[in-house]
Amino acid sequence: MRLVAPFATSFGAVHDRRIILVEAVADGVSGWGEVTAGEVPGYNSETTDTAWLIISDFIAPLLPGKELEKAEDFPAVVAHIRGHQMAKAGVENALWHAEAQLKGVPLSRLLGGTLSEIPCGVSLGIRENPAALVKQVDEEVRTGYQRIKLKIKPEKDLEYVRAVRKAHPQIRLSVDANSAYRLEDADHLKKLDEFDLLMVEQPLDWDDIYSHAKLQAQLRTAICLDECIQNAGHARAAIELNACRIMNIKLGRVGGHTEARRVQELCRESNVPAWCGGMLESGIGRAHNIAMSALPGFTLPGDVSASARYWREDIIEPAVTVSPQGTIRVPENPGLGFTVKRDLIERLTVRQRNWTANTTSDKLVNSR
Ligand code: OSB
Ligand code: MG
């Protein structure tokens, strides 16, 4: 799927997404999940192709004919597989969607969600110059988004943030470095303090909680961890070490709804504000993000925004839309609350693998 516009972060730019969708057929219903791995291993160590391999060789073969009482029982089935959270999450979330349909309840309620509306922010990629970025911020603020996040990297930071802050003195503004800095850059990062940011997200290495604790002690601005938090244990370590004051929760990064709910619960007990991150998802991943964001621990606007910001035509119906107040309504109908456009998905499919109790098939559909 081609994004409406290329999206640039400190680890590279993406225009075309290659997305794995998982369909789990259980007791006559179809549950759908999305694997949120990127095309390159720049955000974390997974990619679309590593997830394809892990699901094909190690996860999917475990499931045909298996009796699972509830989706929550899935993590134990794949606990012997180390890492590969995004591959696992794609499958687990499909099972959650199936369970919600079988029980006739919205997925948000099955998860324990209480909000009927979620507050939304946007994440803006690195632009060619500050003026272009300011123009985009103007537009998003006019649309109603409650928080604007700017991607930054060395040489593309202070000047950009300064220009946006000058044009919009009052908005909730944050930045995301996707691990582009080192602890030795602390004096430089301290200059962000003057812009009254809600947070600086993941400034240091993707797997280095300890250095973030060292940095947080020197910054007035709150650090939010994204890449570093791969499970509830990491979240506990980060909170107890004061490595962050805000938490970004992503379904794929922590391995699915079961673990994401645990991280959320921990944040709530610890009074650490949390929000739902995004991975340039199609409508299926987006619908899962909306369901998760209804949990009470999600107290800050997430990176969950309208389908039209990403896709000319989304693969769910209706497309996700945002109110003039910058909120998304949590669906009240059973399951994800959106219809999956199977025809469009089939047209976009390049490769398909099926597992049933007796057979496996592999089909190259539309080589590109
Ligand atoms: O760090 O939050 C991130 C996109 C790809 C990989 C990592 C990140 C992002 C985003 C975009 O910030 C969020 C979105 O709009 O989906
Ligand atoms: Mg991030």
Side-chain angles (χ1 to χ4, degrees):
M1 291 176 79
R2 167 149 283 206
L3 289 164
V4 165
F7 187 81
T9 66
S10 62
F11 58 83
V14 52
H15 202 173
D16 293 310
R17 298 284 345 271
R18 295 172 61 230
I19 296 172
I20 298 175
L21 296 178
V22 179
E23 180 184 11
V25 180
D27 294 344
V29 306
S30 272
W32 290 84
E34 174 168 341
V35 175
T36 62
E39 292 68 31
V40 299
Y43 167 79
N44 65 5
S45 62
E46 294 187 76
T47 70
T48 309
D49 293 300
T50 68
W52 182 270
L53 176 82
I54 294 295
I55 293 173
S56 292
D57 285 5
F58 302 106
I59 301 178
L62 301 172
L63 296 176
K66 190 162 189 77
E67 298 267 343
L68 281 177
E69 200 186 315
K70 47 192 193 312
E72 205 178 345
D73 296 339
F74 173 80
V77 175
V78 293
H80 60 287
I81 302 168
R82 300 257 165 105
H84 302 285
Q85 286 90 339
M86 288 173 164
K88 291 175 180 173
V91 179
E92 184 186 318
N93 295 348
L95 296 172
W96 276 99
H97 181 208
E99 183 181 342
Q101 291 172 80
L102 289 169
K103 292 183 171 160
V105 297
L107 177 58
S108 62
R109 297 293 173 254
L110 181 62
L111 291 166
T114 51
L115 308 181
S116 57
E117 240 181 14
I118 61 167
C120 306
V122 288
S123 172
L124 305 184
I126 297 169
R127 296 295 300 261
E128 55 283 13
N129 56 58
L133 182 61
V134 169
K135 194 156 162 261
Q136 198 183 349
V137 172
D138 293 345
E139 229 166 83
E140 307 286 7
V141 169
R142 218 175 305 125
T143 305
Y145 284 106
Q146 298 187 19
R147 187 229 61 210
I148 308 289
K149 159 174 139 182
L150 314 175
K151 292 288 187 181
I152 58 167
K153 66 178 183 182
E155 316 285 306
K156 296 259 184 190
D157 48 14
L158 302 177
E159 198 193 344
Y160 285 73
V161 182
R162 184 171 292 116
V164 170
R165 188 39 110 195
K166 185 155 178 260
H168 295 277
Q170 302 294 340
I171 59 170
R172 280 211 270 190
L173 187 63
S174 63
V175 295
D176 185 356
N178 290 109
S179 301
Y181 298 89
R182 306 278 81 90
L183 186 55
E184 295 72 46
D185 298 320
D187 284 336
H188 176 73
L189 291 168
K190 274 189 229 174
K191 294 177 188 157
L192 291 170
D193 280 343
E194 71 170 281
F195 301 119
D196 194 21
L197 302 176
L198 183 59
M199 68 192 105
V200 50
E201 188 177 335
Q202 195 69 40
L204 308 180
D205 261 347
W206 72 287
D207 59 351
D208 188 356
I209 293 173
Y210 182 72
S211 292
H212 281 96
K214 294 283 187 195
L215 180 64
Q216 182 67 88
Q218 301 176 59
L219 288 188
R220 200 168 65 228
T221 307
I223 290 177
C224 169
L225 287 180
D226 175 355
E227 281 89 328
C228 273
I229 308 301
Q230 292 152 39
N231 53 54
H234 291 169
R236 179 178 297 285
I239 292 169
E240 290 189 7
L241 283 167
N242 293 312
C244 66
R245 296 194 203 122
I246 296 178
M247 199 73 75
N248 172 328
I249 303 178
K250 285 183 181 167
L251 276 168
R253 192 189 65 227
V254 303
H257 280 299
T258 305
E259 192 70 8
R261 188 164 60 178
R262 265 189 214 123
V263 176
Q264 175 265 166
E265 189 57 39
L266 185 66
C267 290
R268 214 154 81 95
E269 287 165 9
S270 316
N271 288 314
V272 171
W275 53 281
C276 175
M279 291 295 292
L280 309 174
E281 287 93 344
S282 79
I284 290 175
R286 196 165 300 281
H288 277 283
N289 286 341
I290 294 168
M292 174 174 80
S293 300
L295 287 162
F298 289 84
T299 54
L300 288 173
D303 277 346
V304 186
S305 54
S307 296
R309 296 187 64 256
Y310 305 85
W311 317 113
R312 213 194 282 279
E313 186 182 4
D314 205 340
I315 59 174
I316 55 167
E317 236 165 3
V320 175
T321 55
V322 171
S323 75
Q325 291 72 42
T327 61
I328 293 175
R329 281 210 72 78
V330 179
E332 280 162 20
N333 37 343
L336 283 173
F338 295 87
T339 305
V340 172
K341 291 187 193 169
R342 199 178 270 277
D343 287 358
L344 177 56
I345 291 172
E346 276 172 18
R347 263 186 281 137
L348 293 167
T349 297
V350 174
R351 185 173 184 185
Q352 186 179 326
R353 263 191 175 196
N354 292 288
W355 287 262
T356 67
N358 312 311
T359 61
T360 307
S361 68
D362 192 342
K363 211 163 49 165
L364 284 174
V365 184
N366 245 322
S367 287
R368 288 188 191 154

